[in-house]
Amino acid sequence: MRGLMRETSLSVAHLIYPMFVQEGEQNTPIESLPGCTRWCVADIAAECERLYKLGIACVDLFAVVPEAKKDAQGSEAWNPQGVVPRAIGAIKAAVPGMLVMTDVALDPFNTYGQDGIVKEYADGSYEIVNDETVQALCRQALCHARAGADIISPSDMMDGRVAAIRAALDAEGFTAVSILSYTAKYASAFYGPFRGALGSAPKFGDKKTYQMDPANRREALREAMADVAEGADMLMVKPATMYLDVIAALKENTHLPIAAYHVSGEYLMIKAAAASGWLDERSCMLESLLSIRRAGADMILTYAAPQVAEWLAENSALN
Ligand code: PBG
């Protein structure tokens, strides 16, 4: 009876799995994100075959970049031999049906750990420069599209980057490559474990000049209007569970599909509490993700995707 009247569903078709890819031939478990791994290129493809069989049809790739390859500009971000382009090729060769999304931002690649290009001034102050960054993001997006990415996902929060990336993609004939814009990405403390996983924490300062103030909801609508006008195909809210009102606002006020990113800190709170025996992992994870769906998200990026896929396959009537 409950099932007949249920208003919201959570299925594996709604899940996108964020994955980390690194140089070399080793896979290393990520201590700060239990259950997640930094994959080497060869093994990420094999893992994608397993995920695809579980019903996960989209992965989002993040690069782990050794310090020696970082520079002030973040130029490794558009190296066609970088780990992300190589991983795209390997995944597409092994699992042609897998949708491959890639993160576009400079923080794993530049020495500052900032999403954009940093300009330092003589008096010791600094600025993340918007327009120069947008040019760099276009180079990174093109590098991923040439390697076969299906969805470009700019997470940097610079102004005007969706229009610029769209134009750059179209100019090279990548009209079918979609853009999932991080529309409302908040300056959140819940990203901490992710930055540990990538070694990408800001070396100084914070990200508050470009990521949004957690106090603001209407600003998210303004960002959404800009992204719609610039040609985004999907809009994202991040983090997810602390921002359910923002997800609902974007769903009601735009006609684009809405994604929500259940970020590292949100995932880890449940994992840590479950490891201490304080919360039931399965029911808390499923309830969190269902809440994100109820708020209006069409798709959810979550580190729990493989585990959730297994749970959902077990007995749908009980989920
Ligand atoms: C940076 C980026 C971040 C995340 C995704 N892309 C961190 C940040 O903005 O500092 C966070 C993901 C998570 O916490 O799970 N471009």
Side-chain angles (χ1 to χ4, degrees):
M1 190 72 90
R2 286 180 95 214
L4 285 174
M5 289 163 209
R6 186 160 294 146
E7 297 170 34
T8 309
S9 64
L10 175 68
S11 115
V12 65
H14 304 128
L15 304 180
I16 297 171
Y17 186 42
M19 298 183 84
F20 304 93
V21 58
Q22 68 182 3
E23 303 279 354
E25 269 113 59
Q26 302 290 319
N27 304 316
T28 39
I30 305 175
E31 274 164 45
S32 64
L33 271 180
C36 296
T37 302
R38 295 185 197 88
W39 296 96
C40 65
V41 170
D43 291 339
I44 202 171
E47 176 65 0
C48 282
E49 284 185 64
R50 186 184 80 87
L51 295 170
Y52 199 68
K53 286 188 192 126
L54 281 172
I56 294 171
C58 184
V59 292
D60 184 16
L61 302 183
F62 291 90
V64 183
V65 184
E67 287 298 322
K69 291 207 168 176
K70 297 184 184 182
D71 60 23
Q73 298 298 305
S75 55
E76 179 65 12
W78 49 89
N79 174 5
Q81 295 308 316
V83 278
V84 168
R86 284 191 285 127
I88 299 167
I91 294 169
K92 284 289 178 186
V95 207
M98 181 65 94
L99 268 176
V100 180
M101 175 158 112
T102 57
D103 191 71
V104 162
L106 302 180
D107 51 313
F109 303 95
N110 69 32
T111 41
Y112 300 100
Q114 291 286 357
D115 291 30
I117 291 175
V118 178
K119 209 167 184 171
E120 292 183 83
Y121 298 107
D123 65 359
S125 65
Y126 70 94
E127 193 183 351
I128 318 300
V129 284
N130 192 93
D131 295 5
E132 287 88 332
T133 300
V134 169
Q135 295 310 311
L137 299 172
C138 288
R139 297 175 80 172
Q140 186 181 14
L142 277 175
C143 166
H144 295 173
R146 289 179 195 131
D150 301 291
I151 306 173
I152 299 297
S153 184
S155 69
D156 53 282
M157 290 301 279
M158 298 300 128
D159 289 338
R161 93 282 209 209
V162 170
I165 292 172
R166 184 72 271 159
L169 291 172
D170 291 351
E172 277 206 18
F174 296 114
T175 51
V177 172
S178 304
I179 299 177
L180 192 169
S181 176
Y182 282 63
T183 296
K185 179 177 181 182
Y186 287 88
S188 173
F190 289 94
Y191 307 149
F194 169 96
R195 293 175 185 172
L198 287 190
S200 65
K203 296 288 182 312
F204 56 82
D206 53 42
K207 300 192 175 184
K208 290 178 182 166
T209 61
Y210 47 100
Q211 297 185 349
M212 283 176 54
D213 184 342
N216 295 355
R217 190 184 74 99
R218 294 177 69 239
E219 187 185 2
L221 288 171
R222 213 154 69 232
E223 293 280 2
M225 298 310 141
D227 281 352
V228 169
E230 290 181 35
D233 299 288
M234 295 158 260
L235 306 179
M236 193 202 287
V237 176
K238 173 182 179 176
T241 45
M242 283 77 187
Y243 298 87
L244 296 178
D245 58 325
V246 180
I247 295 173
L250 260 55
K251 188 62 174 267
E252 276 161 28
N253 289 285
T254 72
H255 297 123
L256 289 180
I258 306 294
Y261 201 139
H262 185 238
V263 302
S264 55
E266 298 177 274
Y267 168 80
L268 208 61
M269 284 195 295
I270 296 174
K271 294 294 278 189
S276 302
W278 291 330
L279 285 179
D280 179 64
E281 180 175 346
R282 173 181 161 138
S283 40
C284 289
M285 200 68 85
L286 291 174
E287 186 177 331
S288 295
L289 299 181
L290 187 65
S291 309
I292 297 166
R293 289 271 304 143
R294 193 192 62 240
D298 299 291
M299 58 202 111
I300 305 173
L301 291 90
T302 175
Y303 303 102
Q307 175 70 76
V308 169
E310 281 171 13
W311 286 331
L312 293 178
E314 277 167 22
N315 186 343
S316 60
L318 294 180
N319 282 316

